[in-house]
Structures are given as structure tokens and as C-alpha cells.
Amino acid sequence: MLVMMKTHATDEEIGAVCHKIEDMGFKAHPIPGIMRTAIGITGNQGPVEAAVLESLPGVAECVPVSKPYKLVGRELKEERTVIDLGDGVQVGGKELAVIAGPCAVESREQAFAIAAEVKAAGARLFRGGAYKARTSPYSFQGLEEEGLKILRDIRAEFGLKIVTEAIDQESLDLVEQYADVIQIGARNMQNYSLLKKAGRSRRPVLLKRGMSSTLDELLMSAEYILSEGNYNVILCERGVRTFADHTRNTLDLSVVPAVQRLSHLPIIVDPSHGTGRRDKVIPMSRAAIAVGADGLIIEVHNNPDKALSDGYQSIFPSDFKQLMDEIRQIAALLDRSL
Ligand code: PEP
Ligand code: MN
């Protein structure tokens, strides 16, 4: 159920409706819109008594929600969510958000060298895993807190916003302290206790689509985060498993307009994991921007042959510069900027 407030409803009236919802034993989620505020209700097992709420001052109407996700859907909020990371960096706004950096933070020298290159090419956000969820237990697992400290120092040195993955509850506590955006990886998209914990964080969350997840499952996972009160979720398409063997995964770009039809949340694309091959990253980045994605997350490495993870899909800094130049032109056609 959604409570739609009248256009000129006051803050007191909105507050009173939220109180009433909480008194009924449910959770209220007031979401301001350009025209009016909508209040989502969660925590109810069955239908909510609409008449009680409709009689309150400032309420226009109560509308049932037709989708299983209540807070991520466009029924609650027609206009797109723009996530503000400070210093003019936004995700979901007119300017595209490009996150670039190595798969993993390997050393201070490696991470700083790549940060300098991606910054010079125009990236405003830096990626790099300090905790790596690897398929093999014998592969490099990340520098952990030491890696987070390197990322923090990169933010101080270059002014880049930091995006890095939390792989479990323990690392989430630390990632939250050091990063600007908490990444939840494909392998954890349905780790519901981790999603709930991220929902209690004050940091925006980058939620990657599971490699065999449907769009509905992705949106339900995002709903876990919003239902705990964190409305700043960025969705990310990173490819799904198919029978295709010319790429590591199949990048499902049609999910971008499908998400935009159903949800107000921003969506970005990861063509690095989505293809797994360096030569496919630039063409699929162009396509992702053309299809309407709000940004990209790209693996860049200055010495990919020696990378401790995902070297074969990491592009060189010079490729990244070319990618930025190309997508800037496509963005302009779509009335977006870089
Ligand atoms: C990553 O971004 O390095 C990563 C591990 O991605 P995914 O969770 O999509 O596999
Ligand atoms: Mn990777």
C-alpha cells in the first residue's frame, strides 16, 4: 500500500501519517517527489486498512501496490533517483558516473598509478577490491583493511570517490568506514542478511546482478536494502551465464530499459565482468551508454599481464582514455554529459 499525499501537504501532515503507520505496527517510508510525497508501507502481512489513513489531513489517496517490490518500484516514485556523493558527483543525474580502477587493490604503488591515469582521463569514481570473493580459495583474496587504507588515501590524493566491495558482515563494517559506496557483488546478490545490513548503512550501495538472476530477483534484492531505510541503491548489470562461449558472461543490456520501466533506481553497466575480454570492453561500453545506462564500472590496469585478478578483462589506461572520449560523444547525443 502507498499513501499518496496531496501536493501541498505539510511536513507535519506527512509526519502524522508516518506516526499512524508506525502505531499500526508497520514501517513508514516517506519518499518526497517533485509534485508530492508518497509514503510506502512495509512490514504488513496482509492488506492495510486504507480508510484509517485516508481520513488523515493531507492524504490524497491510498493505492495498493501491484508489484512484490514496493519501494524500488515506480509506483512509489515516478521520477528517477539521483544519488548525491558530494563534491558534485552524482549517480543517476544528467552526468554519467564512470567508476574505473583495478579489479583488486594489489599494492599502494599499483593503485596510485592507476588512480592517476583514470583521474587524468576524467573518471570521478575509483574502484578496487580490498576483499575479493574468488572462485578459488588459492587465488588472491585481497589486502583487506590495508587495501581500504590505500583507497582512503587515493580519495585524499585525487579527490576520487571510492567504490569497493563488502563480501560479508565483518568487511561491511570496515568498508562503510573507508568507502563512499559499498559494492555488493554478484555472488552475494541474494545474501539477504548482508543486504539487510547494507540497508542499515548510511552509505549508498552498488548492487550487482547475480550471474543467474532475473530482473525481478535483482529488484527484490534491492528492496531488501530499501526496506531497511537505505534508499540510495545503484543497480549494476554485469552479465549473466548463458551457453555463449565467446565471452565470460553475456552482457544483458536489454535489462537497462527494463529496469528503467519498473524502477526509479539508477542502473550502471559493468562490461568488464560482462564480457571478460579486454577487446570487448570499449564496444560494449559504447552500447551501454547508448542504451541509456547511468554509468559504467570498468576494470583498468597498468600492467594487466601481471594483475593478481581479472587481468585479461582489464583495459590499459590508454584504452580507458579512448573509451571516455567515445562515450562523451554518445552522451552528448542523449543530452547527457561526462
Ligand atoms: C568485481 O567487481 O570485481 C566483481 C567481483 O564483480 P562481480 O561481483 O560482478 O563478479
Ligand atoms: Mn574483477
Side-chain angles (χ1 to χ4, degrees), residues 43 248 259 270 281 296 305:
R248 178 179 177 186
V259 161
D270 173 352
V281 172
L296 298 167
D305 290 345

Side-chain angles (χ1 to χ4, degrees), residues 102-104 127 132 248 273 299 309-310 313:
C103 180
R127 64 149 292 147
K132 295 306 301 176
R248 178 179 177 186
H273 295 86
E299 288 186 343
S309 66
D310 286 351
Q313 68 191 30

Side-chain angles (χ1 to χ4, degrees), residues 40-104:
I41 303 175
T42 60
N44 54 307
Q45 298 304 328
V48 177
E49 187 58 73
V52 181
L53 297 169
E54 275 174 344
S55 64
L56 296 175
V59 174
E61 57 175 341
C62 290
V63 289
V65 184
S66 60
K67 299 279 193 292
Y69 35 86
K70 306 177 183 196
L71 304 174
V72 310
R74 297 198 73 175
E75 284 168 309
L76 176 71
K77 185 165 175 261
E78 184 59 31
E79 58 269 20
R80 313 218 57 79
T81 289
V82 179
I83 297 171
D84 198 346
L85 297 171
D87 304 314
V89 181
Q90 294 185 330
V91 185
K94 189 172 158 150
E95 188 175 323
L96 298 173
V98 180
I99 308 165
C103 180

